Amino acid sequence: MFVYEKKLQYPVKIKNCNPKLASIVISQYGGPDGELGASLRYLSQRYSMPYPELKGLLTDIGVEELGHLEMVGTIVHQLTRNLTEEERRSNGFAQYFVDHSQGVYPQAAAGVPWSAAMMQVKGDPITDLAEDMAAEQKARTTYDNILRLSDDPDVNDVIKFLRERELVHFQRFGEGMEKLRRRLDEKNIYYMNPAVK
Amino acid sequence: MFVYEKKLQYPVKIKNCNPKLASIVISQYGGPDGELGASLRYLSQRYSMPYPELKGLLTDIGVEELGHLEMVGTIVHQLTRNLTEEERRSNGFAQYFVDHSQGVYPQAAAGVPWSAAMMQVKGDPITDLAEDMAAEQKARTTYDNILRLSDDPDVNDVIKFLRERELVHFQRFGEGMEKLRRRLDEKNIYYMNPAVK
Amino acid sequence: MFVYEKKLQYPVKIKNCNPKLASIVISQYGGPDGELGASLRYLSQRYSMPYPELKGLLTDIGVEELGHLEMVGTIVHQLTRNLTEEERRSNGFAQYFVDHSQGVYPQAAAGVPWSAAMMQVKGDPITDLAEDMAAEQKARTTYDNILRLSDDPDVNDVIKFLRERELVHFQRFGEGMEKLRRRLDEKNIYYMNPAVK
Amino acid sequence: MFVYEKKLQYPVKIKNCNPKLASIVISQYGGPDGELGASLRYLSQRYSMPYPELKGLLTDIGVEELGHLEMVGTIVHQLTRNLTEEERRSNGFAQYFVDHSQGVYPQAAAGVPWSAAMMQVKGDPITDLAEDMAAEQKARTTYDNILRLSDDPDVNDVIKFLRERELVHFQRFGEGMEKLRRRLDEKNIYYMNPAVK
Amino acid sequence: MFVYEKKLQYPVKIKNCNPKLASIVISQYGGPDGELGASLRYLSQRYSMPYPELKGLLTDIGVEELGHLEMVGTIVHQLTRNLTEEERRSNGFAQYFVDHSQGVYPQAAAGVPWSAAMMQVKGDPITDLAEDMAAEQKARTTYDNILRLSDDPDVNDVIKFLRERELVHFQRFGEGMEKLRRRLDEKNIYYMNPAVK
Amino acid sequence: MFVYEKKLQYPVKIKNCNPKLASIVISQYGGPDGELGASLRYLSQRYSMPYPELKGLLTDIGVEELGHLEMVGTIVHQLTRNLTEEERRSNGFAQYFVDHSQGVYPQAAAGVPWSAAMMQVKGDPITDLAEDMAAEQKARTTYDNILRLSDDPDVNDVIKFLRERELVHFQRFGEGMEKLRRRLDEKNIYYMNPAVK
């Protein structure tokens, strides 16, 4: 089970409203490579991961990504909480506002609601870790792109923190993959799924 | 941020494999009215909820639902962790197995991946609470239906606990709605969205 | 069966073209809380509603919402029927025009095609009415938001009429819920689904 | 606007429960080529159809298809209204029951919720009529397939009626296409979209 | 199997960057009536087409559409390969850039990922050809609309070539339909699906 | 452009009908990790890949996967081309038959139409190759699972060939990743996207 601590993993303090930037950052809330997909992917893969150490890795990172989801939601909220009438009507944001007002809804920048089709749980340890390593690179690129699109130092400071964490996760999944390979080599030289007996 | 406690809110101890029952229970993992939608709905609605007490209510219940998601995932996992070859090939489950082996993937019983289109964040306190009350009733009916379809006492014991919690949540959202109405009555007799200034 | 009367429930007479406003209003045609979802939700829930009075209520409102769908389609059409070349090419609308010209397609403002995942038929009278009450509030908020985004008095006059009708429907579904509760109390104090024998 | 007449276009009187047959017939309620898509396609295409006669044709057939949607919903309802516990638990149907009880939900036989991605409104008279002619053939094939899969004479009697109507609609859309071609030949030999000025 | 020839069917040489035009043209890559859907539709329908001549027709046109997909991807790529920072940040394109950088992703202009729900394989020769004829008209209208929205002569030159090919394909499917009708008339005056024995 | 050669990359000769096995194998036609997604992913990623050698690698493997798509479609077709009435009506297959007869439609075993949401084009060379390596592992696991579910030697012979090719592709993408890393190390030690100037 999960316990909530009433603070963010890293502080978010955005001074200026910017609905257009919000409409881009929201992709890390509910877009194809965002934090919702990340946390749900890892927390779902845990069940069939046969090795306690890797199950623990998935849980750790999955729980941290839940906290990142909260941080990204906070960025989107702070960028849109005090909009003027003109900002609400700005092209791009008005199409969001009509359906969600100034709420935070899990969708991609393009407006598509998040779907579990954007992630996979394959029930095979090698494959699930490969999926996770790719997911971290995809999230890293999205943060790179936000940094290319944003001039807001308050936003960019948080995005850089989140980007750094993805690199750490990529590294940790890579180490997990190495351990798993060595372990499987001993008894499963064809890498057949050890989670299915 | 979130902290993980390595125990379930309520114990899950399923003795018998049952892939068909797993393929039904999974709807409360990633189906239209399941726990993923519940927790994400409430945790997303928090940002635009203008009253601290109601924001706290959404956080509380959202975090509890994350724990329920974990419990439902555990049921699905325990019902499928030791399948015989014949069980893996059983009609209905084989179509799941080919894409997810014995992993737990967020989908409905009908096989459709979870989508955020199944929930709403409207950014309007009255409306979001009405959505939440309906969500609790929909989850309650799904649990009713699982109880009609299942004979496994180990499963049903957990499902009854989860069903009971939905009734408590429904009650608490109803009380929140009453407080909100009294508060809005004073200054907003037309119930225009107080979250948009 | 249905009979068509060649007049709108309330007249729609928009004088000025406005593709951007059309791209917002279209959410009440095919968006997550629009009139297509409303009418289809109520007309589909009818079949399993066990009480004739409530079945009649669902039919009445479902049929009225079909008429509202037609009104919203007419607004979108009148806002876009005589576009200049420049208006067709305006950012936001051009992306619609390329796939639908000046036709009326059931999609959300964000561009997502309508999906039945956005509604539910639960086959449980209490639950279906809770879903319907939430749906009316969601539609009401969408109309509130259109009024915040639009300055066109011709459009706003119609939107106010439609918004008013949602409040009436919410009220009527609330009364239906009360009747149902009293009825169920007599023989079903746990609110188990009376539609399943 | 629409007026409801409390009778079906053609009577539906199914004597025997059959959840498996219901799970097939439901594709004509909310499947890719079903009556929901048909009625919504024609009723949506009306707005941009520039010729009154063809606009009338789309309205006529669209309204009739709404009545067919009601008939198909009635078949599904009658096939499932009095299920025994064993029938509810039958494989294939149990996965439907958990999310919708014995309600009628707009989905394909495969379990996928209806989506407007399954239809098109192109805003070009020639193209929209070609889409409509194809839609009628697709519906016709679905009815052919139901007749190949079903032995229930009560169901098949209604399906044959509905199939016959699709052939009539195909014929009428074909005649509409011919008229349109002759009309366009006079002034638009390249068939550029006459609905866009 | 397929062999790649390292040249385009028709040369694509776009001199000027234009992210907005790219965001429109992309609908013919992965939009509802684009070249991906076209090629996959025809190449999938081949298997159940019972007549060699028509199977060959589907293969021929399906393979040519794969080449068109490549041409449209090349247009999108050339329109976006050398963007300035300002162009990357332009409204409409920034929401694409955040998730795909300057890559080519199969989506509609509205941002919706391509889905097989946008096409049909009905397994009935008459119906599949009717679907194909409609598909060619829908693609033709999309190209018409691009020509209305674009001033770039380098783009329009290619689009006119592609539009011309759709008319040729429409003609060829029409001739295939005629042959099929004559053939079926001899032994199947009701047009029951000859692909199902 | 593409040229069709009228032979399969590896022969497919299935002697026995088996609609249930077809409903499983189809996931490699249009499922989340199937050959459609593979070929489209690689062929789409080519445009933004800045190094000719890697662009060539993506083209090579993308074109081979198109041939694999054709092989998988052929397996599905041969498993269903001569069904008896009873086989057509078998639970699981009847729900497919009603909408597609004996045609081959790009969907997952669970019945969900293929969607581009199941793949990504990130426009970043490192990330796209990581996605591709994960994709090959996911496809490999799906083939492993088919081998666990199928007893048909004619099918399994082809599946083993296809599985072997995925391992080769995984290896080749891994080598491409190594080359790319060495190249980027020289001038981009932070792995910022070299495809965006």
Side-chain angles (χ1 to χ4, degrees):
Chain A
M1 59 184 289
F2 301 82
V3 178
Y4 184 67
E5 263 191 49
K6 206 178 163 171
K7 64 166 189 179
L8 298 176
Q9 193 192 355
Y10 185 91
V12 177
K13 289 194 179 138
I14 316 288
K15 282 184 284 297
N16 300 311
C17 267
N18 189 339
K20 188 183 156 192
L21 184 52
S23 80
I24 288 161
V25 172
I26 206 167
S27 254
Q28 278 305 99
Y29 196 79
D33 308 309
E35 301 289 358
L36 169 56
S39 57
L40 188 60
R41 180 186 281 115
Y42 309 144
L43 294 175
S44 297
Q45 289 176 353
R46 286 183 299 162
Y47 301 102
S48 53
M49 180 57 75
Y51 309 110
E53 188 185 350
L54 293 174
K55 199 189 284 263
L57 180 67
L58 289 168
T59 306
D60 275 8
I61 301 184
V63 173
E64 187 185 345
E65 305 284 32
L66 273 180
H68 294 175
L69 182 68
E70 188 185 29
M71 286 170 63
V72 177
T74 304
I75 297 175
V76 172
H77 172 58
Q78 293 187 4
L79 284 169
T80 55
R81 65 188 151 179
N82 292 313
L83 297 180
T84 61
E85 186 180 296
E86 197 187 357
E87 286 170 328
R88 271 202 301 273
R89 295 179 174 199
S90 59
N91 211 357
F93 190 74
Q95 283 82 358
Y96 181 89
F97 182 83
V98 69
D99 281 324
H100 310 294
S101 310
Q102 286 158 225
V104 177
Y105 178 75
Q107 67 161 45
V112 181
W114 189 81
S115 155
M118 297 163 181
M119 57 168 267
Q120 184 53 296
V121 176
K122 206 71 196 180
D124 176 320
I126 287 279
T127 302
D128 281 348
L129 288 180
E131 157 96 353
D132 301 344
M133 291 174 72
E136 294 295 338
Q137 288 295 346
K138 288 186 275 186
R140 191 263 307 156
T141 299
T142 313
Y143 285 128
D144 282 355
N145 289 346
I146 292 173
L147 292 173
R148 284 182 195 275
L149 295 168
S150 160
D151 284 329
D152 184 324
D154 298 341
V155 170
N156 292 4
D157 177 57
V158 186
I159 297 297
K160 280 173 191 159
F161 170 84
L162 291 168
R163 179 184 183 281
E164 213 52 48
R165 296 305 301 157
E166 308 299 20
L167 291 177
V168 171
H169 297 166
F170 178 73
Q171 190 65 28
R172 293 189 65 195
F173 283 128
E175 290 160 13
M177 179 72 100
E178 271 321 294
K179 281 182 198 156
L180 180 55
R181 278 210 175 119
R182 282 197 298 276
R183 184 167 207 153
L184 291 178
D185 273 351
E186 295 165 18
K187 44 179 181 168
N188 182 343
I189 57 167
Y190 298 111
Y191 300 144
M192 283 287 283
N193 186 351
V196 177
K197 277 132 205 164
Chain B
M1 58 185 290
F2 301 82
V3 178
Y4 184 67
E5 264 191 48
K6 206 176 161 175
K7 64 168 191 179
L8 297 176
Q9 194 193 355
Y10 186 92
V12 176
K13 291 193 178 139
I14 316 288
K15 282 184 285 298
N16 300 311
C17 267
N18 189 337
K20 187 182 157 191
L21 185 51
S23 79
I24 288 161
V25 172
I26 207 168
S27 255
Q28 278 305 99
Y29 196 77
D33 309 309
E35 300 290 357
L36 169 56
S39 57
L40 187 61
R41 180 186 280 115
Y42 309 146
L43 293 176
S44 297
Q45 289 176 353
R46 286 183 301 162
Y47 300 102
S48 53
M49 181 56 77
Y51 308 109
E53 188 184 353
L54 293 173
K55 198 186 287 260
L57 179 66
L58 288 168
T59 306
D60 275 9
I61 302 183
V63 173
E64 188 184 347
E65 306 285 31
L66 273 180
H68 295 174
L69 182 67
E70 187 184 31
M71 288 170 63
V72 177
T74 304
I75 298 175
V76 172
H77 172 59
Q78 294 188 2
L79 284 169
T80 55
R81 64 187 151 180
N82 291 313
L83 297 180
T84 63
E85 185 179 296
E86 195 188 359
E87 286 168 330
R88 270 203 299 273
R89 294 180 174 199
S90 60
N91 211 357
F93 190 74
Q95 285 82 359
Y96 181 89
F97 182 82
V98 69
D99 281 324
H100 310 294
S101 311
Q102 285 156 229
V104 177
Y105 178 76
Q107 67 161 45
V112 182
W114 189 82
S115 155
M118 297 163 179
M119 55 167 269
Q120 186 51 297
V121 177
K122 207 67 196 183
D124 176 319
I126 287 279
T127 302
D128 280 347
L129 288 179
E131 158 94 354
D132 300 343
M133 293 175 71
E136 294 294 339
Q137 288 295 344
K138 287 187 277 188
R140 190 264 307 156
T141 299
T142 312
Y143 285 126
D144 283 355
N145 289 346
I146 293 173
L147 293 172
R148 285 180 194 275
L149 295 168
S150 160
D151 283 330
D152 184 323
D154 298 340
V155 170
N156 292 2
D157 178 56
V158 186
I159 297 295
K160 280 173 190 157
F161 170 83
L162 291 168
R163 179 184 185 280
E164 214 50 50
R165 296 305 301 160
E166 308 299 21
L167 291 177
V168 171
H169 297 166
F170 178 73
Q171 191 66 30
R172 291 189 66 196
F173 283 128
E175 290 160 14
M177 180 70 103
E178 269 323 293
K179 280 183 199 154
L180 180 56
R181 279 216 174 113
R182 281 198 299 276
R183 183 165 207 155
L184 291 178
D185 273 351
E186 294 166 16
K187 43 180 181 165
N188 181 345
I189 58 170
Y190 297 110
Y191 299 144
M192 282 287 281
N193 187 349
V196 178
K197 276 131 203 163
Chain C
M1 58 185 289
F2 300 83
V3 178
Y4 185 67
E5 265 191 46
K6 206 178 163 172
K7 65 167 190 179
L8 298 175
Q9 193 192 357
Y10 186 91
V12 176
K13 290 193 179 141
I14 317 287
K15 282 184 285 296
N16 300 312
C17 267
N18 189 337
K20 188 182 155 190
L21 185 52
S23 79
I24 288 161
V25 172
I26 205 167
S27 254
Q28 278 304 101
Y29 195 78
D33 309 310
E35 301 289 357
L36 168 57
S39 57
L40 187 61
R41 181 185 280 114
Y42 309 145
L43 293 176
S44 296
Q45 289 176 351
R46 286 183 299 162
Y47 301 103
S48 53
M49 181 56 76
Y51 309 108
E53 187 184 352
L54 292 174
K55 200 188 284 263
L57 180 66
L58 288 167
T59 306
D60 274 9
I61 302 185
V63 173
E64 187 184 346
E65 305 285 31
L66 273 181
H68 294 176
L69 182 68
E70 186 185 31
M71 285 171 63
V72 176
T74 305
I75 297 175
V76 172
H77 171 60
Q78 293 188 1
L79 284 169
T80 54
R81 64 185 151 180
N82 291 313
L83 297 181
T84 62
E85 186 180 293
E86 196 188 0
E87 286 169 329
R88 270 202 300 272
R89 295 180 173 200
S90 59
N91 210 359
F93 190 74
Q95 284 83 359
Y96 181 89
F97 182 83
V98 69
D99 281 324
H100 311 295
S101 311
Q102 285 156 224
V104 177
Y105 178 75
Q107 67 161 45
V112 182
W114 190 81
S115 155
M118 298 164 179
M119 57 167 269
Q120 185 50 299
V121 176
K122 207 69 197 180
D124 176 320
I126 288 279
T127 301
D128 280 347
L129 288 180
E131 158 95 353
D132 300 343
M133 292 175 73
E136 295 293 340
Q137 287 295 344
K138 288 187 277 188
R140 190 265 305 156
T141 299
T142 312
Y143 286 127
D144 283 356
N145 289 346
I146 292 173
L147 292 174
R148 284 181 194 275
L149 294 168
S150 160
D151 284 330
D152 183 324
D154 297 340
V155 170
N156 292 3
D157 177 57
V158 185
I159 296 296
K160 280 174 190 157
F161 170 83
L162 291 168
R163 180 184 183 279
E164 214 51 51
R165 295 306 301 159
E166 308 298 21
L167 292 177
V168 170
H169 298 166
F170 178 74
Q171 190 65 30
R172 292 189 65 195
F173 282 129
E175 290 161 11
M177 180 71 101
E178 270 322 294
K179 280 183 198 154
L180 180 57
R181 279 214 174 113
R182 281 198 298 275
R183 185 165 205 156
L184 291 178
D185 273 351
E186 294 166 18
K187 43 180 182 163
N188 181 345
I189 59 169
Y190 298 110
Y191 301 143
M192 283 287 281
N193 185 350
V196 179
K197 277 131 205 161
Chain D
M1 59 184 289
F2 301 83
V3 177
Y4 184 67
E5 263 191 50
K6 207 176 163 175
K7 64 167 190 179
L8 297 175
Q9 195 193 353
Y10 185 92
V12 176
K13 289 193 179 142
I14 317 286
K15 283 184 283 299
N16 299 312
C17 267
N18 190 337
K20 188 183 155 190
L21 185 51
S23 79
I24 288 161
V25 172
I26 205 168
S27 255
Q28 279 303 99
Y29 196 79
D33 309 309
E35 301 290 358
L36 169 56
S39 57
L40 188 59
R41 180 186 280 113
Y42 309 144
L43 293 175
S44 297
Q45 288 176 353
R46 286 184 298 162
Y47 300 103
S48 52
M49 180 57 77
Y51 309 107
E53 187 184 353
L54 293 174
K55 199 189 285 263
L57 179 67
L58 288 167
T59 306
D60 273 9
I61 301 184
V63 172
E64 187 183 346
E65 306 285 32
L66 273 180
H68 295 174
L69 183 68
E70 186 184 32
M71 287 171 63
V72 176
T74 304
I75 297 175
V76 172
H77 172 59
Q78 293 188 3
L79 284 169
T80 56
R81 67 189 151 178
N82 291 314
L83 298 180
T84 62
E85 187 179 293
E86 198 187 357
E87 287 169 328
R88 270 203 298 274
R89 295 179 174 199
S90 59
N91 212 357
F93 191 74
Q95 284 82 358
Y96 182 89
F97 181 82
V98 69
D99 282 323
H100 310 294
S101 310
Q102 286 157 226
V104 177
Y105 178 75
Q107 67 163 44
V112 182
W114 189 81
S115 155
M118 297 163 180
M119 57 167 268
Q120 185 51 297
V121 176
K122 207 67 195 182
D124 176 319
I126 287 277
T127 303
D128 282 347
L129 288 180
E131 158 96 355
D132 301 344
M133 291 175 72
E136 294 294 338
Q137 287 295 345
K138 289 187 277 187
R140 189 265 306 156
T141 299
T142 312
Y143 285 127
D144 283 355
N145 289 345
I146 293 174
L147 293 173
R148 284 180 194 275
L149 294 167
S150 161
D151 284 331
D152 184 324
D154 297 340
V155 170
N156 292 2
D157 177 56
V158 186
I159 297 296
K160 280 173 190 157
F161 170 84
L162 291 169
R163 180 185 183 281
E164 214 51 52
R165 295 304 301 158
E166 308 299 20
L167 292 178
V168 171
H169 297 167
F170 177 73
Q171 190 66 31
R172 291 190 65 195
F173 282 129
E175 290 161 10
M177 180 71 101
E178 271 321 295
K179 280 183 198 155
L180 180 56
R181 279 215 174 113
R182 281 200 297 275
R183 183 164 206 154
L184 291 178
D185 273 352
E186 294 167 17
K187 43 179 181 167
N188 181 344
I189 57 168
Y190 297 111
Y191 299 145
M192 282 287 282
N193 186 349
V196 178
K197 276 130 202 164
Chain E
M1 58 184 290
F2 301 83
V3 178
Y4 184 67
E5 263 190 51
K6 208 177 161 173
K7 64 168 190 178
L8 298 176
Q9 193 192 356
Y10 186 92
V12 176
K13 290 196 178 137
I14 316 286
K15 282 183 285 298
N16 300 311
C17 267
N18 189 338
K20 189 184 155 189
L21 184 52
S23 79
I24 288 161
V25 172
I26 207 168
S27 254
Q28 278 305 99
Y29 195 79
D33 308 310
E35 300 289 358
L36 169 57
S39 57
L40 188 61
R41 179 186 282 113
Y42 308 146
L43 293 175
S44 297
Q45 288 175 354
R46 286 182 299 160
Y47 301 101
S48 52
M49 180 58 75
Y51 308 108
E53 187 185 353
L54 293 174
K55 200 188 284 261
L57 180 67
L58 289 167
T59 306
D60 274 8
I61 302 185
V63 174
E64 187 184 347
E65 305 285 31
L66 273 180
H68 294 174
L69 182 67
E70 187 185 31
M71 286 171 62
V72 177
T74 304
I75 297 176
V76 172
H77 173 58
Q78 294 188 1
L79 284 169
T80 56
R81 65 187 151 178
N82 290 312
L83 297 180
T84 63
E85 186 180 295
E86 197 187 358
E87 285 169 330
R88 271 203 299 274
R89 294 180 174 198
S90 60
N91 212 358
F93 190 74
Q95 284 84 358
Y96 181 89
F97 182 83
V98 70
D99 281 325
H100 310 294
S101 310
Q102 285 156 226
V104 177
Y105 178 76
Q107 65 162 45
V112 181
W114 189 81
S115 157
M118 297 163 180
M119 57 166 268
Q120 184 54 296
V121 177
K122 208 69 198 180
D124 176 319
I126 286 279
T127 302
D128 281 346
L129 287 180
E131 159 94 355
D132 301 343
M133 291 175 73
E136 294 294 339
Q137 287 295 344
K138 289 188 275 187
R140 190 264 307 158
T141 299
T142 312
Y143 285 127
D144 283 354
N145 289 345
I146 292 174
L147 292 174
R148 284 181 194 276
L149 294 168
S150 161
D151 283 331
D152 184 323
D154 297 341
V155 170
N156 292 4
D157 177 56
V158 186
I159 297 296
K160 279 173 191 157
F161 170 84
L162 292 168
R163 180 185 185 279
E164 214 51 48
R165 297 304 302 158
E166 309 299 19
L167 292 178
V168 171
H169 298 166
F170 177 74
Q171 191 67 26
R172 292 188 66 195
F173 284 129
E175 290 160 12
M177 179 71 102
E178 270 323 293
K179 281 181 198 157
L180 181 56
R181 279 216 174 110
R182 281 198 298 275
R183 183 165 205 153
L184 292 177
D185 274 351
E186 295 165 17
K187 46 180 180 166
N188 182 344
I189 58 168
Y190 298 112
Y191 300 143
M192 283 287 281
N193 187 349
V196 178
K197 277 130 202 165
Chain F
M1 58 184 291
F2 301 83
V3 177
Y4 184 67
E5 263 191 47
K6 208 176 162 176
K7 65 168 188 178
L8 297 176
Q9 193 192 357
Y10 186 92
V12 176
K13 292 196 177 137
I14 317 287
K15 282 184 284 298
N16 300 311
C17 267
N18 189 338
K20 190 184 154 189
L21 185 52
S23 79
I24 287 162
V25 172
I26 205 168
S27 254
Q28 279 303 99
Y29 195 79
D33 309 310
E35 301 289 359
L36 168 57
S39 57
L40 188 60
R41 180 186 281 113
Y42 309 145
L43 293 176
S44 297
Q45 289 176 353
R46 286 184 299 162
Y47 301 102
S48 53
M49 180 59 76
Y51 308 108
E53 187 184 352
L54 294 174
K55 201 188 284 262
L57 179 67
L58 289 167
T59 306
D60 274 8
I61 303 184
V63 173
E64 187 183 347
E65 305 286 31
L66 273 181
H68 295 175
L69 182 68
E70 186 184 33
M71 286 170 63
V72 177
T74 305
I75 298 176
V76 172
H77 172 59
Q78 294 187 3
L79 284 169
T80 55
R81 65 188 151 179
N82 291 313
L83 298 180
T84 62
E85 185 179 296
E86 197 186 357
E87 286 170 329
R88 270 203 300 272
R89 293 179 175 200
S90 60
N91 210 357
F93 190 75
Q95 285 82 0
Y96 181 90
F97 181 83
V98 68
D99 282 324
H100 310 294
S101 312
Q102 286 156 227
V104 177
Y105 178 75
Q107 66 161 46
V112 181
W114 190 81
S115 154
M118 297 163 180
M119 57 167 267
Q120 185 52 298
V121 176
K122 206 67 195 183
D124 175 319
I126 287 280
T127 302
D128 281 347
L129 288 179
E131 159 94 355
D132 300 343
M133 292 175 72
E136 294 294 339
Q137 287 295 346
K138 288 187 277 187
R140 189 265 307 158
T141 299
T142 312
Y143 286 128
D144 282 354
N145 290 345
I146 292 173
L147 292 173
R148 284 180 194 277
L149 294 167
S150 160
D151 283 331
D152 184 323
D154 298 340
V155 170
N156 292 2
D157 177 56
V158 185
I159 297 294
K160 279 173 191 159
F161 170 83
L162 291 168
R163 180 185 183 280
E164 215 51 50
R165 296 304 302 157
E166 308 298 21
L167 292 177
V168 171
H169 297 167
F170 177 73
Q171 191 66 29
R172 292 189 66 196
F173 283 130
E175 291 161 10
M177 179 71 101
E178 270 322 294
K179 280 183 200 154
L180 180 57
R181 278 215 174 113
R182 281 198 298 274
R183 182 166 207 154
L184 291 178
D185 272 351
E186 294 165 18
K187 44 181 182 167
N188 181 344
I189 60 170
Y190 297 112
Y191 301 143
M192 282 288 281
N193 187 350
V196 178
K197 279 129 201 165

